[in-house]
Amino acid sequence: MNKSSITEQALLNTRTKIAILGGGVAGSTIALRFAELGLDTTLIEKGPSLVNGPPICHLHAGGNLYREISDEQCLTLLKQSIDTVKVYPQSVNIRPTVIALPKTDHGQPMDLLPRLEKLRDRYSELVEQDHRNKVLGEPAGYFRFYSRTEIDALVGKPIPSKATRASDWLISFANCTDLDKLKFPVLLVQEYGLSAFRFAAIASLAIERLPSCHLQTNSQVIAVKANEDNLGWQVSIKQSGSEVIQQQQFDYVINACGFKSGEIDDMVSAKRQRMVEFKAAYVAHWSQCKGLWPEIVFYGERGTPQGMAQLTPYPDGYFQLHGMTQDITLFDQGLVASSLQSAQPKLAPQFIEKIDKKWPEQLIQNRTLGSIEHMAQFVPEFSSATVAAKPLFGAQQIPGEDPDLRAADVSFHGKHYARAEIVKASSALAASDAILANLVECGLIDDVLTSEGAEIVLKDYLTEHYFPVSQQCSDSEITERAVLLAKQRDYPVALAKNL
Ligand SMILES: Cc1cc2nc3c(=O)[nH]c(=O)nc-3n(C[C@H](O)[C@H](O)[C@H](O)COP(=O)(O)OP(=O)(O)OC[C@H]3O[C@@H](n4cnc5c(N)ncnc54)[C@H](O)[C@@H]3O)c2cc1C
């Protein structure tokens, strides 16, 4: 390719104007992906800051928290999580997960083995293909089962503050869990944590440094209208606290509005079937907590009083809790579907009230104490934990009709309109890859891009993740910004720090 055609193509790329509506995990990741390549990207977010939607605490590198989903979804989540750790290493809390089956559970621990072997083999293949994929430790150590005798041998040992071998992660579990309530063996798997506050900090810092990303916060999209040629869009935006409505023109629109995506679909008359589910996690402080804690998951049937109990550790004795019962994480009528008339599922007013305003104080106490009690069935001393903050909560979209779908990324409608439809944060990069490929297919982006004065052959970057600016953010500045966001959002700063 000669120099002048490179320049023409670079010009085309900087002329193409892309709007991303919604600055959650999906919108922010897509904005970073594009702006890192020098594409003209406008990120429009209703709220005051980025990545402030429903919570995120698990990376889901293998989907092992969900027995009910297909092996295919688990393998997809594994690959997507590996990609996420490579791009955002400082947002990951590196600690394994212990999965235990209570005696009351219908399953057997060894039922999990066939899937775990598939996941370990896939991880091993990915590492063989590219050593940079080795982000979950040695493939052979992806999972390991521990017998009752092995766990009993750890009882009474002091809880270490650092792990020098895999079994060190099980000492707190062995000392504090009522082992007689469990089936054996128990599983230790390299399922890590993902910090929403650190993710928000990286997105905010990098976007501030990327000149081709134009961030508009406190800006609500109230209308989207196709231009007469059906190729471009007019987006109407209302700033918080102002009656003025601003109109902006774009060539391509990405709907990344999370559980409100149906509202944008309705504005452009795009039909779509989806569900929305309101859920909550709780924050507790356990002052007796000492040393190293893994994530601990006690399996159980979703929606019943025996629903899964999850304990997610943070520094300084703070824990995030999920309990998959109707009285803790799930809510009666919390799952709703779209209709023939509207792509936007309608949540009952009591949920919208919680999202837009606040939770009643008594409900915070009742549900958080309920989550502590649920965990104390298995970890008796945890009953002394106290309510530490308001819940972490929100509504998430699930595209289609299967409420158990966990690995989803993107769909397209008509010309120049894409929807990010992630269910898990780790799917956001896959959504950005698919939209980038669609921009090329539509002829809106050329094969050669100019970023920071350097020419990039785009086809090399359709699957390769190019995030030089995001990856330059230092650990200390990420912690500083994440702590600030946690304070602004009224959560303990421990949730913003790495373990
Ligand atoms: C209790 C709970 C626990 C969860 N735990 C995990 C977990 O551990 N790991 C995980 O991967 N996932 C988890 N999830 C799911 C995860 O939170 C969501 O899938 C994820 O946040 C979706 O990201 P998003 O960017 O698509 O949507 P959102 O995060 O909802 O972002 C959408 C953004 O669009 C903005 N917006 C909406 N309408 C407009 C408009 N008209 N104009 C401008 N902006 C607009 C919103 O303000 C918001 O910032 C959990 C969800 C819940 C409810």
Side-chain angles (χ1 to χ4, degrees):
M1 190 173 297
N2 67 36
K3 192 81 187 159
S4 70
S5 64
I6 286 175
T7 312
E8 277 164 32
Q9 289 186 326
L11 266 177
L12 171 69
N13 289 332
T14 50
R15 273 205 306 261
T16 296
K17 301 218 168 301
I18 304 161
I20 301 170
L21 320 184
V25 178
S28 301
T29 297
I30 298 164
L32 283 176
R33 174 90 163 100
F34 292 1
E36 293 268 20
L37 291 167
L39 300 176
D40 187 307
T41 308
T42 302
L43 179 59
I44 306 163
E45 166 54 44
K46 185 170 74 168
S49 60
L50 298 174
V51 192
N52 193 15
I56 295 156
C57 65
H58 306 117
L59 175 66
H60 294 296
N64 291 290
L65 270 54
Y66 304 109
R67 274 187 294 189
E68 62 283 8
I69 69 174
S70 65
D71 289 359
E72 218 39 60
Q73 287 193 61
C74 290
L75 292 164
T76 302
L77 288 171
L78 175 77
K79 165 77 171 69
Q80 292 178 345
S81 298
I82 290 171
D83 288 343
T84 304
V85 181
K86 282 157 67 185
V87 170
Y88 303 108
Q90 294 113 325
S91 68
V92 178
N93 278 320
I94 300 182
R95 43 97 191 122
T97 296
V98 178
I99 295 181
L101 273 70
K103 283 186 175 158
T104 51
D105 188 75
H106 61 81
Q108 293 304 325
M110 293 322 269
D111 297 345
L112 307 172
L113 185 63
R115 171 181 288 175
L116 285 160
E117 285 176 338
K118 279 188 197 166
L119 287 163
R120 182 186 56 200
D121 294 350
R122 182 76 188 118
Y123 177 40
S124 188
E125 276 163 31
L126 289 167
V127 171
E128 264 169 45
Q129 281 162 21
D130 184 344
H131 72 276
R132 291 173 300 170
N133 288 330
K134 196 170 149 186
V135 294
L136 307 172
E138 287 298 333
Y142 175 68
F143 75 90
R144 181 172 173 335
F145 281 103
Y146 288 79
S147 66
R148 174 76 195 244
T149 315
E150 286 173 301
I151 298 294
D152 279 342
L154 301 173
V155 175
K157 286 198 172 178
I159 301 173
S161 54
K162 270 204 167 92
T164 50
R165 75 203 87 176
S167 61
D168 286 349
W169 285 104
L170 283 151
I171 296 175
S172 48
F173 171 83
N175 278 305
C176 300
T177 306
D178 183 348
L179 299 174
D180 290 337
K181 285 203 165 157
L182 305 179
K183 293 183 183 176
F184 282 86
V186 295
L187 169 69
L188 185 77
V189 59
Q190 301 305 321
E191 286 267 17
Y192 296 166
L194 188 62
S195 160
F197 291 107
R198 298 183 71 82
F199 204 108
I202 298 170
S204 316
L205 289 163
I207 284 172
E208 282 163 17
R209 289 165 193 173
L210 283 160
S212 55
C213 186
H214 318 291
L215 174 62
Q216 302 177 13
T217 48
N218 295 310
S219 301
Q220 182 175 1
V221 173
I222 54 160
V224 181
K225 199 166 153 253
N227 291 339
E228 271 171 20
D229 60 8
N230 247 347
L231 290 176
W233 299 96
Q234 179 179 286
V235 177
S236 306
I237 300 158
K238 189 179 160 303
Q239 283 251 307
S240 309
S242 155
E243 288 313 308
V244 182
I245 293 169
Q246 232 194 8
Q247 255 116 35
Q248 297 178 18
Q249 285 291 327
F250 296 97
D251 301 294
Y252 195 102
V253 162
I254 299 162
N255 173 0
C257 284
F259 88 99
K260 296 263 187 168
S261 295
E263 291 185 355
I264 307 290
D265 276 346
D266 285 351
M267 290 174 196
V268 301
S269 305
K271 296 240 174 280
R272 183 69 176 141
Q273 221 169 10
R274 63 163 61 79
M275 284 165 283
V276 158
E277 186 168 27
F278 182 90
K279 293 186 300 183
Y282 303 87
V283 190
H285 188 242
W286 189 25
S287 51
Q288 289 102 308
C289 163
K290 289 186 199 78
L292 200 65
W293 277 77
E295 164 98 15
I296 302 179
V297 173
F298 299 98
Y299 270 170
E301 197 180 330
R302 197 178 203 265
T304 70
Q306 286 76 41
M308 178 162 69
Q310 297 165 235
L311 184 75
T312 308
Y314 287 92
D316 311 326
Y318 285 89
F319 290 87
Q320 185 171 339
L321 294 151
H322 286 80
M324 293 299 162
T325 79
Q326 292 292 333
D327 295 333
I328 304 175
T329 288
L330 309 176
F331 289 76
D332 185 29
Q333 294 171 26
L335 178 68
V336 286
S338 53
S339 64
L340 283 176
Q341 292 72 41
S342 170
Q344 179 60 43
K346 304 267 177 297
L347 274 173
Q350 68 266 29
F351 300 117
I352 300 297
E353 178 96 352
K354 288 188 182 71
I355 293 170
D356 290 345
K357 297 191 181 132
K358 62 189 264 203
W359 284 52
E361 195 49 49
Q362 195 55 50
L363 191 64
I364 297 180
Q365 289 292 323
N366 292 349
R367 286 214 172 222
T368 312
L369 291 173
S371 71
I372 292 171
E373 215 178 292
H374 195 56
M375 186 50 62
Q377 297 173 77
F378 305 108
V379 184
E381 289 173 40
F382 198 73
S383 60
S384 62
T386 54
V387 180
K390 61 186 173 174
L392 292 148
F393 62 95
Q396 67 182 109
Q397 69 168 325
I398 307 170
E401 289 179 283
D402 173 9
D404 290 335
L405 180 72
R406 292 293 175 267
D409 44 51
V410 69
S411 69
F412 299 95
H413 173 84
K415 286 198 176 114
H416 302 183
Y417 179 77
R419 312 175 184 90
E421 295 181 325
I422 63 164
V423 183
K424 294 293 159 203
S426 50
S427 304
L429 281 167
S432 66
D433 296 346
I435 300 171
L436 191 58
N438 186 255
L439 279 158
V440 176
E441 251 169 59
C442 295
L444 286 173
I445 298 298
D446 260 318
D447 228 11
V448 178
L449 300 171
T450 307
S451 178
E452 309 261 299
E455 272 147 14
I456 298 165
V457 179
L458 181 63
K459 68 174 163 28
D460 295 341
Y461 288 95
L462 287 178
T463 50
E464 183 73 18
H465 294 127
Y466 182 74
F467 282 80
V469 175
S470 312
Q471 288 175 333
Q472 264 166 27
C473 296
S474 71
D475 207 49
S476 58
E477 63 185 347
I478 293 168
T479 303
E480 195 183 326
R481 181 65 67 95
V483 162
L484 181 70
L485 289 169
K487 283 184 184 161
Q488 284 169 350
R489 296 174 189 178
D490 251 349
Y491 288 104
V493 297
L495 302 193
K497 296 181 191 163
N498 265 143
L499 267 178

PDB file of all heavy atoms in Angstrom, residues 445-471:
ATOM      1  N   ILE A 445     -14.675   1.629   8.571  1.00  0.00           N
ATOM      2  CA  ILE A 445     -13.301   1.655   9.067  1.00  0.00           C
ATOM      3  C   ILE A 445     -12.432   0.961   8.039  1.00  0.00           C
ATOM      4  O   ILE A 445     -12.797  -0.089   7.524  1.00  0.00           O
ATOM      5  CB  ILE A 445     -13.205   0.874  10.403  1.00  0.00           C
ATOM      6  CG1 ILE A 445     -14.076   1.510  11.472  1.00  0.00           C
ATOM      7  CG2 ILE A 445     -11.772   0.770  10.889  1.00  0.00           C
ATOM      8  CD1 ILE A 445     -13.689   2.906  11.831  1.00  0.00           C
ATOM      9  N   ASP A 446     -11.282   1.541   7.786  1.00  0.00           N
ATOM     10  CA  ASP A 446     -10.375   0.925   6.822  1.00  0.00           C
ATOM     11  C   ASP A 446      -9.345   0.056   7.504  1.00  0.00           C
ATOM     12  O   ASP A 446      -9.195   0.080   8.724  1.00  0.00           O
ATOM     13  CB  ASP A 446      -9.700   1.996   5.981  1.00  0.00           C
ATOM     14  CG  ASP A 446     -10.395   2.104   4.645  1.00  0.00           C
ATOM     15  OD1 ASP A 446     -10.714   1.047   4.085  1.00  0.00           O
ATOM     16  OD2 ASP A 446     -10.627   3.230   4.197  1.00  0.00           O
ATOM     17  N   ASP A 447      -8.634  -0.634   6.650  1.00  0.00           N
ATOM     18  CA  ASP A 447      -7.699  -1.634   7.115  1.00  0.00           C
ATOM     19  C   ASP A 447      -6.476  -1.084   7.834  1.00  0.00           C
ATOM     20  O   ASP A 447      -5.798  -1.788   8.554  1.00  0.00           O
ATOM     21  CB  ASP A 447      -7.228  -2.411   5.886  1.00  0.00           C
ATOM     22  CG  ASP A 447      -7.310  -3.883   6.156  1.00  0.00           C
ATOM     23  OD1 ASP A 447      -7.912  -4.240   7.171  1.00  0.00           O
ATOM     24  OD2 ASP A 447      -6.756  -4.638   5.361  1.00  0.00           O
ATOM     25  N   VAL A 448      -6.197   0.204   7.597  1.00  0.00           N
ATOM     26  CA  VAL A 448      -5.014   0.782   8.239  1.00  0.00           C
ATOM     27  C   VAL A 448      -5.473   1.958   9.092  1.00  0.00           C
ATOM     28  O   VAL A 448      -6.192   2.837   8.643  1.00  0.00           O
ATOM     29  CB  VAL A 448      -3.995   1.278   7.188  1.00  0.00           C
ATOM     30  CG1 VAL A 448      -2.804   1.929   7.879  1.00  0.00           C
ATOM     31  CG2 VAL A 448      -3.546   0.128   6.328  1.00  0.00           C
ATOM     32  N   LEU A 449      -5.094   1.934  10.349  1.00  0.00           N
ATOM     33  CA  LEU A 449      -5.478   3.013  11.255  1.00  0.00           C
ATOM     34  C   LEU A 449      -4.240   3.764  11.679  1.00  0.00           C
ATOM     35  O   LEU A 449      -3.138   3.220  11.655  1.00  0.00           O
ATOM     36  CB  LEU A 449      -6.100   2.428  12.512  1.00  0.00           C
ATOM     37  CG  LEU A 449      -7.351   1.585  12.343  1.00  0.00           C
ATOM     38  CD1 LEU A 449      -7.674   0.924  13.661  1.00  0.00           C
ATOM     39  CD2 LEU A 449      -8.501   2.457  11.896  1.00  0.00           C
ATOM     40  N   THR A 450      -4.430   5.031  12.066  1.00  0.00           N
ATOM     41  CA  THR A 450      -3.287   5.748  12.637  1.00  0.00           C
ATOM     42  C   THR A 450      -3.587   6.016  14.100  1.00  0.00           C
ATOM     43  O   THR A 450      -4.626   6.576  14.432  1.00  0.00           O
ATOM     44  CB  THR A 450      -3.092   7.095  11.916  1.00  0.00           C
ATOM     45  OG1 THR A 450      -3.025   6.796  10.532  1.00  0.00           O
ATOM     46  CG2 THR A 450      -1.804   7.776  12.350  1.00  0.00           C
ATOM     47  N   SER A 451      -2.724   5.550  14.961  1.00  0.00           N
ATOM     48  CA  SER A 451      -2.922   5.787  16.385  1.00  0.00           C
ATOM     49  C   SER A 451      -1.628   6.317  16.960  1.00  0.00           C
ATOM     50  O   SER A 451      -0.580   5.702  16.775  1.00  0.00           O
ATOM     51  CB  SER A 451      -3.301   4.476  17.065  1.00  0.00           C
ATOM     52  OG  SER A 451      -3.452   4.682  18.440  1.00  0.00           O
ATOM     53  N   GLU A 452      -1.706   7.477  17.640  1.00  0.00           N
ATOM     54  CA  GLU A 452      -0.509   8.092  18.225  1.00  0.00           C
ATOM     55  C   GLU A 452       0.587   8.228  17.175  1.00  0.00           C
ATOM     56  O   GLU A 452       1.744   7.938  17.452  1.00  0.00           O
ATOM     57  CB  GLU A 452       0.023   7.240  19.384  1.00  0.00           C
ATOM     58  CG  GLU A 452      -1.022   6.883  20.404  1.00  0.00           C
ATOM     59  CD  GLU A 452      -0.974   7.792  21.616  1.00  0.00           C
ATOM     60  OE1 GLU A 452       0.047   7.791  22.261  1.00  0.00           O
ATOM     61  OE2 GLU A 452      -1.960   8.506  21.852  1.00  0.00           O
ATOM     62  N   GLY A 453       0.205   8.560  15.933  1.00  0.00           N
ATOM     63  CA  GLY A 453       1.185   8.772  14.876  1.00  0.00           C
ATOM     64  C   GLY A 453       1.704   7.496  14.245  1.00  0.00           C
ATOM     65  O   GLY A 453       2.358   7.517  13.213  1.00  0.00           O
ATOM     66  N   ALA A 454       1.371   6.317  14.829  1.00  0.00           N
ATOM     67  CA  ALA A 454       1.880   5.060  14.272  1.00  0.00           C
ATOM     68  C   ALA A 454       0.796   4.432  13.400  1.00  0.00           C
ATOM     69  O   ALA A 454      -0.396   4.542  13.710  1.00  0.00           O
ATOM     70  CB  ALA A 454       2.241   4.110  15.393  1.00  0.00           C
ATOM     71  N   GLU A 455       1.216   3.806  12.280  1.00  0.00           N
ATOM     72  CA  GLU A 455       0.228   3.144  11.429  1.00  0.00           C
ATOM     73  C   GLU A 455       0.020   1.707  11.889  1.00  0.00           C
ATOM     74  O   GLU A 455       0.971   1.002  12.192  1.00  0.00           O
ATOM     75  CB  GLU A 455       0.660   3.198   9.974  1.00  0.00           C
ATOM     76  CG  GLU A 455       0.162   4.479   9.333  1.00  0.00           C
ATOM     77  CD  GLU A 455       1.085   5.016   8.273  1.00  0.00           C
ATOM     78  OE1 GLU A 455       1.974   4.280   7.842  1.00  0.00           O
ATOM     79  OE2 GLU A 455       0.909   6.174   7.897  1.00  0.00           O
ATOM     80  N   ILE A 456      -1.246   1.315  11.945  1.00  0.00           N
ATOM     81  CA  ILE A 456      -1.571  -0.014  12.448  1.00  0.00           C
ATOM     82  C   ILE A 456      -2.381  -0.734  11.377  1.00  0.00           C
ATOM     83  O   ILE A 456      -3.349  -0.182  10.867  1.00  0.00           O
ATOM     84  CB  ILE A 456      -2.456   0.108  13.705  1.00  0.00           C
ATOM     85  CG1 ILE A 456      -1.711   0.842  14.804  1.00  0.00           C
ATOM     86  CG2 ILE A 456      -2.943  -1.238  14.183  1.00  0.00           C
ATOM     87  CD1 ILE A 456      -2.626   1.317  15.904  1.00  0.00           C
ATOM     88  N   VAL A 457      -1.987  -1.936  11.020  1.00  0.00           N
ATOM     89  CA  VAL A 457      -2.794  -2.715  10.081  1.00  0.00           C
ATOM     90  C   VAL A 457      -3.909  -3.355  10.902  1.00  0.00           C
ATOM     91  O   VAL A 457      -3.668  -4.208  11.754  1.00  0.00           O
ATOM     92  CB  VAL A 457      -1.931  -3.781   9.363  1.00  0.00           C
ATOM     93  CG1 VAL A 457      -2.802  -4.597   8.404  1.00  0.00           C
ATOM     94  CG2 VAL A 457      -0.805  -3.101   8.614  1.00  0.00           C
ATOM     95  N   LEU A 458      -5.138  -2.884  10.649  1.00  0.00           N
ATOM     96  CA  LEU A 458      -6.228  -3.249  11.544  1.00  0.00           C
ATOM     97  C   LEU A 458      -6.476  -4.742  11.611  1.00  0.00           C
ATOM     98  O   LEU A 458      -6.800  -5.277  12.672  1.00  0.00           O
ATOM     99  CB  LEU A 458      -7.510  -2.523  11.118  1.00  0.00           C
ATOM    100  CG  LEU A 458      -8.713  -2.809  12.008  1.00  0.00           C
ATOM    101  CD1 LEU A 458      -8.483  -2.318  13.412  1.00  0.00           C
ATOM    102  CD2 LEU A 458      -9.960  -2.208  11.443  1.00  0.00           C
ATOM    103  N   LYS A 459      -6.327  -5.437  10.463  1.00  0.00           N
ATOM    104  CA  LYS A 459      -6.674  -6.859  10.524  1.00  0.00           C
ATOM    105  C   LYS A 459      -5.847  -7.598  11.588  1.00  0.00           C
ATOM    106  O   LYS A 459      -6.303  -8.571  12.159  1.00  0.00           O
ATOM    107  CB  LYS A 459      -6.598  -7.534   9.150  1.00  0.00           C
ATOM    108  CG  LYS A 459      -5.245  -7.670   8.547  1.00  0.00           C
ATOM    109  CD  LYS A 459      -5.398  -8.499   7.273  1.00  0.00           C
ATOM    110  CE  LYS A 459      -4.256  -8.439   6.311  1.00  0.00           C
ATOM    111  NZ  LYS A 459      -2.924  -8.174   6.782  1.00  0.00           N
ATOM    112  N   ASP A 460      -4.669  -7.059  11.907  1.00  0.00           N
ATOM    113  CA  ASP A 460      -3.866  -7.669  12.975  1.00  0.00           C
ATOM    114  C   ASP A 460      -4.496  -7.435  14.346  1.00  0.00           C
ATOM    115  O   ASP A 460      -4.124  -8.075  15.319  1.00  0.00           O
ATOM    116  CB  ASP A 460      -2.446  -7.057  13.011  1.00  0.00           C
ATOM    117  CG  ASP A 460      -1.679  -7.374  11.742  1.00  0.00           C
ATOM    118  OD1 ASP A 460      -2.092  -8.316  11.044  1.00  0.00           O
ATOM    119  OD2 ASP A 460      -0.701  -6.666  11.458  1.00  0.00           O
ATOM    120  N   TYR A 461      -5.394  -6.450  14.423  1.00  0.00           N
ATOM    121  CA  TYR A 461      -5.927  -6.071  15.729  1.00  0.00           C
ATOM    122  C   TYR A 461      -7.401  -6.435  15.917  1.00  0.00           C
ATOM    123  O   TYR A 461      -8.015  -6.051  16.889  1.00  0.00           O
ATOM    124  CB  TYR A 461      -5.711  -4.573  15.978  1.00  0.00           C
ATOM    125  CG  TYR A 461      -4.250  -4.313  16.234  1.00  0.00           C
ATOM    126  CD1 TYR A 461      -3.411  -3.916  15.210  1.00  0.00           C
ATOM    127  CD2 TYR A 461      -3.717  -4.561  17.494  1.00  0.00           C
ATOM    128  CE1 TYR A 461      -2.057  -3.749  15.430  1.00  0.00           C
ATOM    129  CE2 TYR A 461      -2.362  -4.397  17.717  1.00  0.00           C
ATOM    130  CZ  TYR A 461      -1.543  -3.985  16.689  1.00  0.00           C
ATOM    131  OH  TYR A 461      -0.205  -3.836  16.925  1.00  0.00           O
ATOM    132  N   LEU A 462      -7.963  -7.179  14.921  1.00  0.00           N
ATOM    133  CA  LEU A 462      -9.362  -7.570  15.077  1.00  0.00           C
ATOM    134  C   LEU A 462      -9.510  -8.576  16.215  1.00  0.00           C
ATOM    135  O   LEU A 462     -10.512  -8.610  16.903  1.00  0.00           O
ATOM    136  CB  LEU A 462      -9.912  -8.155  13.775  1.00  0.00           C
ATOM    137  CG  LEU A 462     -10.154  -7.129  12.665  1.00  0.00           C
ATOM    138  CD1 LEU A 462     -10.660  -7.801  11.401  1.00  0.00           C
ATOM    139  CD2 LEU A 462     -11.152  -6.062  13.110  1.00  0.00           C
ATOM    140  N   THR A 463      -8.503  -9.408  16.389  1.00  0.00           N
ATOM    141  CA  THR A 463      -8.556 -10.365  17.502  1.00  0.00           C
ATOM    142  C   THR A 463      -7.516 -10.042  18.571  1.00  0.00           C
ATOM    143  O   THR A 463      -7.693 -10.359  19.740  1.00  0.00           O
ATOM    144  CB  THR A 463      -8.334 -11.809  17.002  1.00  0.00           C
ATOM    145  OG1 THR A 463      -7.174 -11.805  16.191  1.00  0.00           O
ATOM    146  CG2 THR A 463      -9.527 -12.317  16.219  1.00  0.00           C
ATOM    147  N   GLU A 464      -6.429  -9.391  18.181  1.00  0.00           N
ATOM    148  CA  GLU A 464      -5.374  -9.018  19.149  1.00  0.00           C
ATOM    149  C   GLU A 464      -5.837  -7.772  19.909  1.00  0.00           C
ATOM    150  O   GLU A 464      -6.310  -6.809  19.293  1.00  0.00           O
ATOM    151  CB  GLU A 464      -4.099  -8.701  18.364  1.00  0.00           C
ATOM    152  CG  GLU A 464      -2.898  -8.372  19.206  1.00  0.00           C
ATOM    153  CD  GLU A 464      -2.297  -9.587  19.914  1.00  0.00           C
ATOM    154  OE1 GLU A 464      -2.589 -10.727  19.493  1.00  0.00           O
ATOM    155  OE2 GLU A 464      -1.569  -9.386  20.866  1.00  0.00           O
ATOM    156  N   HIS A 465      -5.738  -7.811  21.230  1.00  0.00           N
ATOM    157  CA  HIS A 465      -6.215  -6.649  21.996  1.00  0.00           C
ATOM    158  C   HIS A 465      -5.090  -5.643  22.201  1.00  0.00           C
ATOM    159  O   HIS A 465      -4.098  -5.942  22.840  1.00  0.00           O
ATOM    160  CB  HIS A 465      -6.816  -7.124  23.317  1.00  0.00           C
ATOM    161  CG  HIS A 465      -8.053  -7.936  23.104  1.00  0.00           C
ATOM    162  ND1 HIS A 465      -8.253  -9.187  23.637  1.00  0.00           N
ATOM    163  CD2 HIS A 465      -9.159  -7.676  22.359  1.00  0.00           C
ATOM    164  CE1 HIS A 465      -9.421  -9.648  23.244  1.00  0.00           C
ATOM    165  NE2 HIS A 465      -9.992  -8.757  22.468  1.00  0.00           N
ATOM    166  N   TYR A 466      -5.313  -4.440  21.637  1.00  0.00           N
ATOM    167  CA  TYR A 466      -4.293  -3.393  21.639  1.00  0.00           C
ATOM    168  C   TYR A 466      -4.722  -2.318  22.629  1.00  0.00           C
ATOM    169  O   TYR A 466      -5.634  -1.531  22.345  1.00  0.00           O
ATOM    170  CB  TYR A 466      -4.194  -2.849  20.206  1.00  0.00           C
ATOM    171  CG  TYR A 466      -3.173  -1.778  19.967  1.00  0.00           C
ATOM    172  CD1 TYR A 466      -1.824  -2.078  19.920  1.00  0.00           C
ATOM    173  CD2 TYR A 466      -3.569  -0.465  19.751  1.00  0.00           C
ATOM    174  CE1 TYR A 466      -0.886  -1.089  19.680  1.00  0.00           C
ATOM    175  CE2 TYR A 466      -2.644   0.535  19.496  1.00  0.00           C
ATOM    176  CZ  TYR A 466      -1.303   0.216  19.479  1.00  0.00           C
ATOM    177  OH  TYR A 466      -0.373   1.193  19.223  1.00  0.00           O
ATOM    178  N   PHE A 467      -4.139  -2.335  23.832  1.00  0.00           N
ATOM    179  CA  PHE A 467      -4.565  -1.415  24.903  1.00  0.00           C
ATOM    180  C   PHE A 467      -3.360  -0.743  25.555  1.00  0.00           C
ATOM    181  O   PHE A 467      -3.215  -0.775  26.789  1.00  0.00           O
ATOM    182  CB  PHE A 467      -5.348  -2.183  25.991  1.00  0.00           C
ATOM    183  CG  PHE A 467      -6.775  -2.509  25.628  1.00  0.00           C
ATOM    184  CD1 PHE A 467      -7.073  -3.578  24.806  1.00  0.00           C
ATOM    185  CD2 PHE A 467      -7.828  -1.755  26.123  1.00  0.00           C
ATOM    186  CE1 PHE A 467      -8.387  -3.888  24.475  1.00  0.00           C
ATOM    187  CE2 PHE A 467      -9.147  -2.047  25.798  1.00  0.00           C
ATOM    188  CZ  PHE A 467      -9.424  -3.111  24.973  1.00  0.00           C
ATOM    189  N   PRO A 468      -2.451  -0.112  24.769  1.00  0.00           N
ATOM    190  CA  PRO A 468      -1.232   0.400  25.386  1.00  0.00           C
ATOM    191  C   PRO A 468      -1.476   1.472  26.449  1.00  0.00           C
ATOM    192  O   PRO A 468      -0.804   1.474  27.482  1.00  0.00           O
ATOM    193  CB  PRO A 468      -0.440   0.969  24.199  1.00  0.00           C
ATOM    194  CG  PRO A 468      -1.448   1.191  23.128  1.00  0.00           C
ATOM    195  CD  PRO A 468      -2.505   0.150  23.333  1.00  0.00           C
ATOM    196  N   VAL A 469      -2.454   2.338  26.243  1.00  0.00           N
ATOM    197  CA  VAL A 469      -2.670   3.432  27.201  1.00  0.00           C
ATOM    198  C   VAL A 469      -3.291   2.875  28.500  1.00  0.00           C
ATOM    199  O   VAL A 469      -2.833   3.185  29.612  1.00  0.00           O
ATOM    200  CB  VAL A 469      -3.542   4.546  26.574  1.00  0.00           C
ATOM    201  CG1 VAL A 469      -3.870   5.628  27.597  1.00  0.00           C
ATOM    202  CG2 VAL A 469      -2.831   5.147  25.357  1.00  0.00           C
ATOM    203  N   SER A 470      -4.291   2.006  28.338  1.00  0.00           N
ATOM    204  CA  SER A 470      -4.931   1.419  29.537  1.00  0.00           C
ATOM    205  C   SER A 470      -3.900   0.659  30.360  1.00  0.00           C
ATOM    206  O   SER A 470      -3.912   0.706  31.592  1.00  0.00           O
ATOM    207  CB  SER A 470      -6.039   0.440  29.146  1.00  0.00           C
ATOM    208  OG  SER A 470      -6.878   1.010  28.195  1.00  0.00           O
ATOM    209  N   GLN A 471      -3.006  -0.032  29.668  1.00  0.00           N
ATOM    210  CA  GLN A 471      -2.055  -0.879  30.399  1.00  0.00           C
ATOM    211  C   GLN A 471      -0.919  -0.088  31.045  1.00  0.00           C
ATOM    212  O   GLN A 471      -0.172  -0.633  31.849  1.00  0.00           O
ATOM    213  CB  GLN A 471      -1.529  -1.975  29.469  1.00  0.00           C
ATOM    214  CG  GLN A 471      -2.640  -2.990  29.223  1.00  0.00           C
ATOM    215  CD  GLN A 471      -2.305  -4.070  28.228  1.00  0.00           C
ATOM    216  OE1 GLN A 471      -1.490  -3.860  27.340  1.00  0.00           O
ATOM    217  NE2 GLN A 471      -2.938  -5.211  28.355  1.00  0.00           N
TER     218      GLN A 471
END
